[in-house]
């Protein structure tokens, strides 16, 4: 099963609130999962990078060692920022990620689903998938429904499906979840609009200076 198939299979749960947690379960994002899925291509890419670095800095040993060190640091941060654990037990969900620990009582847990985001690498489109957790904070105001976004890079697809199946959903769509998702989209659009506006002002200013 591919990630896109898993996403389509669970697409309907995006607007449905969690009714109850059926059983205790733990979901772990581990490097081992990624290695098992991409063992051959990962080895080829790493070997290609090493060969290129050795050829590029073969005459400068210090530069070669420094580059290797930087490469190891980059790999470390990729692993660090993409590993996490979600455990559900004792009527509480605990999310551990990047030395952070978030505890969510089942009564405040609103929804868990897979989100798909599309980006571009040069001209090629690429889909990225995330585990989204919506939970309620101290009061019932819609602005206090928070979300946790966790990448699926180091997750096992079968384990993700088993994890999702551990939550029983309500039949009807939840208006608070719809409002929360619309609010998140609104914030994203505002950020994108501000980014475009700022760069437009910078470009226009540079063009005016250049034409003087």
């Amino acid at each position: 099963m591919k990630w896109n198939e898993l996403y389509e299979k669970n697409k309907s749960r995006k607007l449905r609130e969690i009714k109850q947690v059926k059983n205790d379960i733990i979901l772990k994002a581990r490097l081992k999962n990624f290695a098992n899925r991409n063992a051959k291509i990962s080895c080829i890419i790493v070997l290609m990078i090493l060969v290129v670095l050795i050829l590029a800095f073969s005459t400068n040993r210090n530069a070669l060692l420094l580059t290797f060190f930087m490469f190891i640091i980059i790999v470390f941060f990729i692993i660090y920022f993409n590993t996490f654990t979600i455990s559900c037990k004792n009527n509480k969900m605990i999310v551990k990620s990047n030395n952070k620990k978030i505890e969510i009582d089942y009564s405040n847990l609103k929804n868990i689903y897979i989100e798909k985001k599309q980006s571009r690498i040069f001209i090629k489109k690429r889909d990225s998938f995330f585990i989204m957790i919506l939970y309620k904070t101290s009061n019932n105001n819609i602005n206090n429904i928070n979300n946790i976004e966790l990448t699926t890079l180091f997750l096992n697809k079968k384990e993700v499906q088993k994890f999702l199946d551990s939550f029983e959903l309500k039949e009807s769509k939840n208006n608070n979840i719809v409002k929360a998702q619309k609010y998140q989209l609104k914030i994203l659009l505002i950020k994108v609009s501000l980014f475009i506006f700022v760069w437009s002002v910078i470009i226009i200013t540079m063009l005016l200076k250049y034409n003087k």
Side-chain angles (χ1 to χ4, degrees):
M1 182 185 292
K2 296 181 179 179
W3 280 112
N4 199 58
E5 293 173 349
L6 187 65
Y7 166 76
E8 292 294 333
K9 182 179 178 181
N10 294 278
K11 199 173 182 179
S12 62
R13 68 184 299 127
K14 187 173 182 177
L15 301 178
R16 294 172 63 190
E17 189 175 354
I18 290 173
K19 184 178 181 180
Q20 66 175 359
V21 183
K22 293 187 285 186
N23 53 270
D24 293 350
I25 193 166
I26 297 177
L27 180 67
K28 292 184 178 181
R30 298 169 292 184
L31 178 62
K32 178 183 175 182
N33 293 327
F34 179 84
N36 288 339
R37 289 199 313 266
N38 306 280
K40 291 182 180 179
I41 188 67
S42 298
C43 289
I44 292 172
I45 290 173
V46 170
L47 285 173
M48 287 178 63
I49 292 172
L50 292 176
V51 169
V52 169
L53 291 177
I54 291 171
L55 291 175
F57 299 103
S58 58
T59 57
N60 191 330
R61 187 177 178 182
N62 290 334
L64 180 61
L65 291 173
L66 179 62
T67 306
F68 277 149
F69 177 74
M70 293 300 295
F71 177 70
I72 292 170
I73 292 294
I74 291 169
V75 172
F76 169 79
F77 278 111
I78 290 173
I79 295 171
Y80 177 76
F81 285 112
N82 288 283
T83 52
F84 58 86
T85 301
I86 306 173
S87 59
C88 296
K89 56 183 178 179
N90 300 324
N91 295 318
K92 188 179 290 185
M93 172 181 282
I94 300 174
V95 181
K96 295 180 181 178
S97 175
N98 305 335
N99 287 330
K100 293 181 181 179
K101 182 180 179 181
I102 301 174
E103 296 186 7
I104 307 167
D105 289 335
Y106 286 168
S107 58
N108 293 326
L109 190 58
K110 307 305 291 182
N111 198 11
I112 298 174
Y113 59 92
I114 301 175
E115 181 71 287
K116 178 168 73 171
K117 296 183 180 181
Q118 200 171 72
S119 58
R120 284 184 179 273
I121 299 178
F122 299 107
I123 61 172
K124 188 177 180 181
K125 290 183 179 180
R126 177 180 177 272
D127 291 331
S128 298
F129 298 90
F130 301 86
I131 298 291
M132 298 294 295
I133 301 172
L134 297 185
Y135 63 99
K136 185 175 67 176
T137 49
S138 55
N139 61 56
N140 293 321
N141 190 304
I142 188 64
N143 293 336
N144 287 324
I145 292 183
N146 294 337
N147 71 78
I148 302 172
E149 183 179 282
L150 302 165
T151 177
T152 60
L153 184 64
F154 292 160
L155 286 174
N156 179 283
K157 291 184 280 292
K158 290 182 179 179
E159 291 178 0
V160 171
Q161 185 61 68
K162 184 179 178 182
F163 176 75
L164 294 176
D165 290 341
S166 297
F167 300 91
E168 184 178 345
L169 305 177
K170 294 180 179 179
E171 291 299 324
S172 59
K173 294 180 179 179
N174 184 271
N175 289 330
N176 281 343
I177 291 176
V178 176
K179 289 177 182 178
Q181 290 169 348
K182 286 182 178 179
Y183 176 77
Q184 293 163 19
L185 179 60
K186 183 180 177 181
I187 295 298
L188 177 62
L189 290 174
I190 290 172
K191 288 180 179 179
V192 171
S193 299
L194 285 173
F195 177 81
I196 294 172
F197 173 75
V198 170
W199 274 103
S200 297
V201 170
I202 293 171
I203 292 170
I204 291 171
T205 304
M206 291 178 64
L207 289 172
L208 290 174
K209 285 185 177 180
Y210 180 77
N211 290 328
K212 284 183 179 180

